[in-house]
Amino acid sequence: MGLARFDAASEQLLMDATGGAVEEHLTRDNQIVGTVEYMSPEQADDSMEIDGRADIYSLGCTLYCLITGRAPYRADTPLKVLMAHRVREIPDLRAVRPEVSERLEAIFHKMVAKRPTTATARCPK
């Protein structure tokens, strides 16, 4: 049968093939979990305090990659990529692919907003 994994607060709960629960820490404090090229600025700060808006940000980064063939921010170290998500200007899709519509550009910019402070931030309509 294998293992089934369930999130349980800050720990991970594993079940063995017999159905017995095994508690085990799969991550350590202060460890980056995720792909930095697609990680929201707030996830880099505190992954325990994020919500679905971080997923929208990551989807925006994925959209950028699908359209342009590259991640929105590139740098020579993971830390520099994380910092770019926080401080660098949001890249324009149309600078790389001029045929992208203004509407799609606007949706992308909303998806990768630097600060999701309102309920509608990062929620394209």
Side-chain angles (χ1 to χ4, degrees), residues 14-52:
L14 296 172
M15 297 182 76
D16 64 21
T18 64
V22 179
E23 285 192 36
E24 184 177 312
H25 291 277
L26 296 180
T27 60
R28 301 189 195 317
D29 290 340
N30 301 318
Q31 179 180 355
I32 295 173
V33 178
T35 306
V36 296
E37 287 82 2
Y38 304 92
M39 192 175 292
S40 68
E42 66 272 18
Q43 184 175 357
D45 281 344
D46 185 356
S47 64
M48 298 304 290
E49 295 296 323
I50 60 170
D51 58 26

mmCIF file of all heavy atoms in Angstrom, residues 14-52:
data_model
loop_
_atom_site.group_PDB
_atom_site.id
_atom_site.type_symbol
_atom_site.label_atom_id
_atom_site.label_comp_id
_atom_site.label_asym_id
_atom_site.label_seq_id
_atom_site.Cartn_x
_atom_site.Cartn_y
_atom_site.Cartn_z
ATOM 1 N N LEU A 14 2.566 10.622 9.041
ATOM 2 C CA LEU A 14 2.709 9.546 8.068
ATOM 3 C C LEU A 14 1.981 8.312 8.579
ATOM 4 O O LEU A 14 1.961 8.041 9.771
ATOM 5 C CB LEU A 14 4.185 9.202 7.858
ATOM 6 C CG LEU A 14 5.053 10.300 7.260
ATOM 7 C CD1 LEU A 14 6.523 9.876 7.293
ATOM 8 C CD2 LEU A 14 4.622 10.582 5.840
ATOM 9 N N MET A 15 1.398 7.561 7.652
ATOM 10 C CA MET A 15 0.770 6.292 8.010
ATOM 11 C C MET A 15 1.525 5.196 7.281
ATOM 12 O O MET A 15 1.781 5.295 6.088
ATOM 13 C CB MET A 15 -0.703 6.293 7.611
ATOM 14 C CG MET A 15 -1.505 7.345 8.347
ATOM 15 S SD MET A 15 -3.242 7.298 7.928
ATOM 16 C CE MET A 15 -3.716 5.865 8.870
ATOM 17 N N ASP A 16 1.846 4.125 8.015
ATOM 18 C CA ASP A 16 2.534 3.024 7.359
ATOM 19 C C ASP A 16 1.524 2.108 6.674
ATOM 20 O O ASP A 16 0.318 2.347 6.700
ATOM 21 C CB ASP A 16 3.431 2.277 8.349
ATOM 22 C CG ASP A 16 2.657 1.609 9.476
ATOM 23 O OD1 ASP A 16 1.444 1.377 9.315
ATOM 24 O OD2 ASP A 16 3.274 1.307 10.507
ATOM 25 N N ALA A 17 1.991 1.046 6.052
ATOM 26 C CA ALA A 17 1.131 0.159 5.275
ATOM 27 C C ALA A 17 0.058 -0.517 6.119
ATOM 28 O O ALA A 17 -0.983 -0.907 5.608
ATOM 29 C CB ALA A 17 1.985 -0.886 4.562
ATOM 30 N N THR A 18 0.273 -0.638 7.411
ATOM 31 C CA THR A 18 -0.718 -1.271 8.282
ATOM 32 C C THR A 18 -1.729 -0.276 8.834
ATOM 33 O O THR A 18 -2.624 -0.644 9.574
ATOM 34 C CB THR A 18 -0.026 -1.982 9.463
ATOM 35 O OG1 THR A 18 0.628 -0.992 10.272
ATOM 36 C CG2 THR A 18 0.985 -3.005 8.979
ATOM 37 N N GLY A 19 -1.572 1.006 8.485
ATOM 38 C CA GLY A 19 -2.505 2.025 8.976
ATOM 39 C C GLY A 19 -2.047 2.689 10.257
ATOM 40 O O GLY A 19 -2.728 3.561 10.786
ATOM 41 N N GLY A 20 -0.902 2.291 10.771
ATOM 42 C CA GLY A 20 -0.387 2.905 11.989
ATOM 43 C C GLY A 20 0.198 4.280 11.706
ATOM 44 O O GLY A 20 0.866 4.482 10.702
ATOM 45 N N ALA A 21 -0.080 5.217 12.578
ATOM 46 C CA ALA A 21 0.415 6.589 12.397
ATOM 47 C C ALA A 21 1.839 6.699 12.905
ATOM 48 O O ALA A 21 2.186 6.167 13.945
ATOM 49 C CB ALA A 21 -0.476 7.565 13.144
ATOM 50 N N VAL A 22 2.640 7.402 12.154
ATOM 51 C CA VAL A 22 4.026 7.664 12.534
ATOM 52 C C VAL A 22 4.227 9.162 12.412
ATOM 53 O O VAL A 22 4.092 9.722 11.331
ATOM 54 C CB VAL A 22 5.022 6.934 11.595
ATOM 55 C CG1 VAL A 22 6.451 7.232 11.995
ATOM 56 C CG2 VAL A 22 4.744 5.447 11.579
ATOM 57 N N GLU A 23 4.538 9.831 13.503
ATOM 58 C CA GLU A 23 4.797 11.266 13.439
ATOM 59 C C GLU A 23 6.262 11.489 13.174
ATOM 60 O O GLU A 23 7.125 10.855 13.758
ATOM 61 C CB GLU A 23 4.394 11.953 14.749
ATOM 62 C CG GLU A 23 2.912 12.092 14.896
ATOM 63 C CD GLU A 23 2.520 12.999 16.029
ATOM 64 O OE1 GLU A 23 3.227 13.996 16.264
ATOM 65 O OE2 GLU A 23 1.521 12.700 16.674
ATOM 66 N N GLU A 24 6.525 12.392 12.266
ATOM 67 C CA GLU A 24 7.897 12.660 11.885
ATOM 68 C C GLU A 24 7.995 14.072 11.331
ATOM 69 O O GLU A 24 7.114 14.520 10.612
ATOM 70 C CB GLU A 24 8.306 11.649 10.810
ATOM 71 C CG GLU A 24 9.735 11.741 10.391
ATOM 72 C CD GLU A 24 10.065 10.650 9.387
ATOM 73 O OE1 GLU A 24 9.733 9.493 9.629
ATOM 74 O OE2 GLU A 24 10.656 11.003 8.359
ATOM 75 N N HIS A 25 9.044 14.771 11.683
ATOM 76 C CA HIS A 25 9.290 16.099 11.117
ATOM 77 C C HIS A 25 9.937 15.924 9.753
ATOM 78 O O HIS A 25 11.012 15.342 9.652
ATOM 79 C CB HIS A 25 10.229 16.917 12.013
ATOM 80 C CG HIS A 25 9.599 17.320 13.307
ATOM 81 N ND1 HIS A 25 8.792 18.410 13.424
ATOM 82 C CD2 HIS A 25 9.647 16.749 14.529
ATOM 83 C CE1 HIS A 25 8.375 18.529 14.664
ATOM 84 N NE2 HIS A 25 8.876 17.529 15.351
ATOM 85 N N LEU A 26 9.261 16.393 8.699
ATOM 86 C CA LEU A 26 9.821 16.281 7.363
ATOM 87 C C LEU A 26 10.587 17.524 6.955
ATOM 88 O O LEU A 26 11.367 17.499 6.025
ATOM 89 C CB LEU A 26 8.712 16.006 6.351
ATOM 90 C CG LEU A 26 7.982 14.679 6.526
ATOM 91 C CD1 LEU A 26 6.905 14.547 5.459
ATOM 92 C CD2 LEU A 26 8.946 13.512 6.449
ATOM 93 N N THR A 27 10.319 18.620 7.648
ATOM 94 C CA THR A 27 11.048 19.856 7.373
ATOM 95 C C THR A 27 11.587 20.397 8.681
ATOM 96 O O THR A 27 11.109 20.082 9.749
ATOM 97 C CB THR A 27 10.145 20.921 6.716
ATOM 98 O OG1 THR A 27 9.068 21.219 7.595
ATOM 99 C CG2 THR A 27 9.614 20.444 5.381
ATOM 100 N N ARG A 28 12.570 21.244 8.578
ATOM 101 C CA ARG A 28 13.175 21.858 9.753
ATOM 102 C C ARG A 28 12.817 23.339 9.772
ATOM 103 O O ARG A 28 12.498 23.935 8.753
ATOM 104 C CB ARG A 28 14.689 21.697 9.693
ATOM 105 C CG ARG A 28 15.144 20.251 9.626
ATOM 106 C CD ARG A 28 16.649 20.160 9.798
ATOM 107 N NE ARG A 28 17.299 18.946 9.443
ATOM 108 C CZ ARG A 28 16.929 17.708 9.696
ATOM 109 N NH1 ARG A 28 15.819 17.470 10.283
ATOM 110 N NH2 ARG A 28 17.657 16.682 9.350
ATOM 111 N N ASP A 29 12.891 23.924 10.971
ATOM 112 C CA ASP A 29 12.666 25.359 11.077
ATOM 113 C C ASP A 29 13.665 26.099 10.215
ATOM 114 O O ASP A 29 14.810 25.672 10.044
ATOM 115 C CB ASP A 29 12.814 25.816 12.538
ATOM 116 C CG ASP A 29 11.676 25.314 13.404
ATOM 117 O OD1 ASP A 29 10.612 24.954 12.859
ATOM 118 O OD2 ASP A 29 11.846 25.278 14.633
ATOM 119 N N ASN A 30 13.229 27.218 9.652
ATOM 120 C CA ASN A 30 14.071 28.087 8.822
ATOM 121 C C ASN A 30 14.584 27.413 7.558
ATOM 122 O O ASN A 30 15.627 27.765 7.048
ATOM 123 C CB ASN A 30 15.246 28.643 9.643
ATOM 124 C CG ASN A 30 14.772 29.443 10.828
ATOM 125 O OD1 ASN A 30 13.829 30.224 10.721
ATOM 126 N ND2 ASN A 30 15.386 29.232 11.969
ATOM 127 N N GLN A 31 13.839 26.439 7.066
ATOM 128 C CA GLN A 31 14.210 25.744 5.837
ATOM 129 C C GLN A 31 13.286 26.221 4.716
ATOM 130 O O GLN A 31 12.082 26.349 4.898
ATOM 131 C CB GLN A 31 14.058 24.239 6.022
ATOM 132 C CG GLN A 31 14.404 23.431 4.800
ATOM 133 C CD GLN A 31 14.240 21.942 5.054
ATOM 134 O OE1 GLN A 31 13.953 21.516 6.163
ATOM 135 N NE2 GLN A 31 14.415 21.152 4.020
ATOM 136 N N ILE A 32 13.838 26.490 3.550
ATOM 137 C CA ILE A 32 13.037 26.891 2.390
ATOM 138 C C ILE A 32 12.393 25.645 1.807
ATOM 139 O O ILE A 32 13.066 24.664 1.514
ATOM 140 C CB ILE A 32 13.906 27.579 1.323
ATOM 141 C CG1 ILE A 32 14.462 28.891 1.855
ATOM 142 C CG2 ILE A 32 13.102 27.819 0.054
ATOM 143 C CD1 ILE A 32 15.452 29.546 0.930
ATOM 144 N N VAL A 33 11.067 25.701 1.659
ATOM 145 C CA VAL A 33 10.336 24.601 1.044
ATOM 146 C C VAL A 33 9.592 25.163 -0.154
ATOM 147 O O VAL A 33 8.713 25.999 -0.010
ATOM 148 C CB VAL A 33 9.345 23.957 2.041
ATOM 149 C CG1 VAL A 33 8.558 22.850 1.355
ATOM 150 C CG2 VAL A 33 10.076 23.429 3.261
ATOM 151 N N GLY A 34 9.982 24.739 -1.315
ATOM 152 C CA GLY A 34 9.353 25.235 -2.533
ATOM 153 C C GLY A 34 10.406 25.595 -3.559
ATOM 154 O O GLY A 34 11.606 25.525 -3.302
ATOM 155 N N THR A 35 9.933 25.973 -4.715
ATOM 156 C CA THR A 35 10.816 26.377 -5.806
ATOM 157 C C THR A 35 10.901 27.890 -5.803
ATOM 158 O O THR A 35 9.885 28.566 -6.004
ATOM 159 C CB THR A 35 10.267 25.863 -7.149
ATOM 160 O OG1 THR A 35 10.059 24.446 -7.037
ATOM 161 C CG2 THR A 35 11.220 26.161 -8.281
ATOM 162 N N VAL A 36 12.058 28.439 -5.557
ATOM 163 C CA VAL A 36 12.192 29.879 -5.350
ATOM 164 C C VAL A 36 11.745 30.701 -6.553
ATOM 165 O O VAL A 36 11.296 31.828 -6.388
ATOM 166 C CB VAL A 36 13.628 30.275 -4.916
ATOM 167 C CG1 VAL A 36 13.963 29.663 -3.571
ATOM 168 C CG2 VAL A 36 14.655 29.906 -5.955
ATOM 169 N N GLU A 37 11.829 30.161 -7.744
ATOM 170 C CA GLU A 37 11.414 30.900 -8.938
ATOM 171 C C GLU A 37 9.912 31.182 -8.945
ATOM 172 O O GLU A 37 9.441 32.066 -9.645
ATOM 173 C CB GLU A 37 11.796 30.144 -10.215
ATOM 174 C CG GLU A 37 13.275 30.182 -10.510
ATOM 175 C CD GLU A 37 14.082 29.148 -9.733
ATOM 176 O OE1 GLU A 37 13.495 28.344 -8.953
ATOM 177 O OE2 GLU A 37 15.313 29.138 -9.890
ATOM 178 N N TYR A 38 9.139 30.442 -8.153
ATOM 179 C CA TYR A 38 7.681 30.561 -8.144
ATOM 180 C C TYR A 38 7.131 30.922 -6.766
ATOM 181 O O TYR A 38 5.934 30.881 -6.543
ATOM 182 C CB TYR A 38 7.054 29.243 -8.621
ATOM 183 C CG TYR A 38 7.572 28.837 -9.976
ATOM 184 C CD1 TYR A 38 8.675 27.999 -10.107
ATOM 185 C CD2 TYR A 38 6.986 29.332 -11.132
ATOM 186 C CE1 TYR A 38 9.165 27.655 -11.355
ATOM 187 C CE2 TYR A 38 7.469 28.995 -12.384
ATOM 188 C CZ TYR A 38 8.559 28.156 -12.488
ATOM 189 O OH TYR A 38 9.044 27.828 -13.724
ATOM 190 N N MET A 39 7.988 31.288 -5.845
ATOM 191 C CA MET A 39 7.606 31.508 -4.453
ATOM 192 C C MET A 39 7.201 32.957 -4.205
ATOM 193 O O MET A 39 7.912 33.880 -4.571
ATOM 194 C CB MET A 39 8.780 31.132 -3.543
ATOM 195 C CG MET A 39 8.421 31.032 -2.080
ATOM 196 S SD MET A 39 9.820 30.452 -1.086
ATOM 197 C CE MET A 39 9.975 28.774 -1.650
ATOM 198 N N SER A 40 6.060 33.133 -3.547
ATOM 199 C CA SER A 40 5.574 34.482 -3.243
ATOM 200 C C SER A 40 6.468 35.153 -2.197
ATOM 201 O O SER A 40 7.103 34.469 -1.391
ATOM 202 C CB SER A 40 4.140 34.421 -2.721
ATOM 203 O OG SER A 40 4.098 33.807 -1.445
ATOM 204 N N PRO A 41 6.507 36.477 -2.207
ATOM 205 C CA PRO A 41 7.332 37.177 -1.219
ATOM 206 C C PRO A 41 6.963 36.817 0.223
ATOM 207 O O PRO A 41 7.841 36.618 1.055
ATOM 208 C CB PRO A 41 7.043 38.659 -1.501
ATOM 209 C CG PRO A 41 6.636 38.701 -2.934
ATOM 210 C CD PRO A 41 5.894 37.415 -3.167
ATOM 211 N N GLU A 42 5.670 36.683 0.513
ATOM 212 C CA GLU A 42 5.271 36.369 1.887
ATOM 213 C C GLU A 42 5.606 34.941 2.280
ATOM 214 O O GLU A 42 5.841 34.649 3.451
ATOM 215 C CB GLU A 42 3.787 36.675 2.122
ATOM 216 C CG GLU A 42 2.808 35.819 1.360
ATOM 217 C CD GLU A 42 2.453 36.337 -0.016
ATOM 218 O OE1 GLU A 42 3.179 37.185 -0.579
ATOM 219 O OE2 GLU A 42 1.428 35.876 -0.553
ATOM 220 N N GLN A 43 5.656 34.022 1.316
ATOM 221 C CA GLN A 43 6.046 32.650 1.634
ATOM 222 C C GLN A 43 7.513 32.592 2.030
ATOM 223 O O GLN A 43 7.888 31.825 2.900
ATOM 224 C CB GLN A 43 5.783 31.721 0.450
ATOM 225 C CG GLN A 43 6.072 30.268 0.759
ATOM 226 C CD GLN A 43 5.696 29.341 -0.371
ATOM 227 O OE1 GLN A 43 5.156 29.760 -1.382
ATOM 228 N NE2 GLN A 43 6.006 28.077 -0.206
ATOM 229 N N ALA A 44 8.327 33.417 1.423
ATOM 230 C CA ALA A 44 9.744 33.458 1.791
ATOM 231 C C ALA A 44 9.923 34.004 3.204
ATOM 232 O O ALA A 44 10.857 33.634 3.902
ATOM 233 C CB ALA A 44 10.516 34.316 0.799
ATOM 234 N N ASP A 45 9.004 34.877 3.633
ATOM 235 C CA ASP A 45 9.070 35.433 4.988
ATOM 236 C C ASP A 45 8.656 34.427 6.045
ATOM 237 O O ASP A 45 9.341 34.237 7.037
ATOM 238 C CB ASP A 45 8.144 36.650 5.123
ATOM 239 C CG ASP A 45 8.742 37.897 4.538
ATOM 240 O OD1 ASP A 45 9.962 37.917 4.294
ATOM 241 O OD2 ASP A 45 7.985 38.851 4.322
ATOM 242 N N ASP A 46 7.482 33.809 5.850
ATOM 243 C CA ASP A 46 6.928 32.925 6.879
ATOM 244 C C ASP A 46 5.910 31.998 6.234
ATOM 245 O O ASP A 46 4.753 32.385 6.050
ATOM 246 C CB ASP A 46 6.270 33.753 7.986
ATOM 247 C CG ASP A 46 5.780 32.906 9.144
ATOM 248 O OD1 ASP A 46 5.877 31.654 9.078
ATOM 249 O OD2 ASP A 46 5.291 33.478 10.126
ATOM 250 N N SER A 47 6.322 30.794 5.915
ATOM 251 C CA SER A 47 5.437 29.872 5.210
ATOM 252 C C SER A 47 4.268 29.392 6.062
ATOM 253 O O SER A 47 3.309 28.841 5.538
ATOM 254 C CB SER A 47 6.225 28.673 4.679
ATOM 255 O OG SER A 47 6.764 27.929 5.738
ATOM 256 N N MET A 48 4.311 29.623 7.360
ATOM 257 C CA MET A 48 3.202 29.221 8.236
ATOM 258 C C MET A 48 2.071 30.243 8.215
ATOM 259 O O MET A 48 0.985 29.974 8.688
ATOM 260 C CB MET A 48 3.706 29.017 9.669
ATOM 261 C CG MET A 48 4.750 27.920 9.800
ATOM 262 S SD MET A 48 4.209 26.316 9.180
ATOM 263 C CE MET A 48 3.002 25.912 10.424
ATOM 264 N N GLU A 49 2.309 31.423 7.663
ATOM 265 C CA GLU A 49 1.313 32.492 7.682
ATOM 266 C C GLU A 49 0.742 32.812 6.298
ATOM 267 O O GLU A 49 0.121 33.836 6.115
ATOM 268 C CB GLU A 49 1.934 33.771 8.282
ATOM 269 C CG GLU A 49 2.330 33.634 9.738
ATOM 270 C CD GLU A 49 1.143 33.391 10.660
ATOM 271 O OE1 GLU A 49 0.063 33.979 10.421
ATOM 272 O OE2 GLU A 49 1.288 32.604 11.610
ATOM 273 N N ILE A 50 0.933 31.933 5.343
ATOM 274 C CA ILE A 50 0.447 32.207 3.994
ATOM 275 C C ILE A 50 -0.958 31.651 3.796
ATOM 276 O O ILE A 50 -1.424 30.828 4.577
ATOM 277 C CB ILE A 50 1.399 31.650 2.916
ATOM 278 C CG1 ILE A 50 1.536 30.141 3.050
ATOM 279 C CG2 ILE A 50 2.743 32.337 2.972
ATOM 280 C CD1 ILE A 50 2.265 29.496 1.901
ATOM 281 N N ASP A 51 -1.617 32.120 2.755
ATOM 282 C CA ASP A 51 -2.939 31.604 2.414
ATOM 283 C C ASP A 51 -2.987 31.363 0.908
ATOM 284 O O ASP A 51 -1.953 31.336 0.245
ATOM 285 C CB ASP A 51 -4.040 32.549 2.898
ATOM 286 C CG ASP A 51 -3.921 33.948 2.320
ATOM 287 O OD1 ASP A 51 -3.338 34.105 1.220
ATOM 288 O OD2 ASP A 51 -4.414 34.889 2.959
ATOM 289 N N GLY A 52 -4.168 31.214 0.366
ATOM 290 C CA GLY A 52 -4.336 30.901 -1.049
ATOM 291 C C GLY A 52 -3.781 31.945 -1.992
ATOM 292 O O GLY A 52 -3.518 31.650 -3.161
#
